[in-house]
Amino acid sequence: MRIIRMTPPEIPVLLRGAKAIAEYLGVTAKHITHLHRQRRIPTINVGGCPCATTGALDEWRLMQAANGYGAGNAAS
């Protein structure tokens, strides 16, 4: 009998605050706050603080790349 080991799917992490989201995406916290207020990034508001999962941000980043936004405009 052959056993195939599969790695578990990566569990998304909840990022709390514009600073944490900005560090994950490599942009400024001010830019994340701006995008959050305009609802242009997949965040939710928890207790007045923007929050997002790494999974949602990764999908959003892929969609941005597919739409022609490069690394310099990753959060546009």
Side-chain angles (χ1 to χ4, degrees):
M1 174 189 267
R2 184 174 173 201
I3 298 173
I4 300 174
R5 294 187 184 194
M6 298 179 67
T7 58
E10 191 170 319
I11 298 171
V13 175
L14 179 66
L15 300 173
R16 185 176 169 99
K19 183 177 178 183
I21 297 169
E23 287 176 5
Y24 184 75
L25 293 177
V27 297
T28 65
K30 185 176 179 179
H31 192 64
I32 294 301
T33 301
H34 176 73
L35 294 174
H36 171 71
R37 288 182 180 159
Q38 290 187 335
R39 298 182 181 178
R40 293 176 54 199
I41 191 166
T43 55
I44 58 172
N45 206 20
V46 177
C49 181
C51 296
T53 63
T54 55
L57 292 172
D58 291 341
E59 287 180 26
W60 174 78
R61 190 184 299 178
L62 287 173
M63 287 180 59
Q64 294 296 305
N67 290 329
Y69 295 103
N73 295 327
S76 293

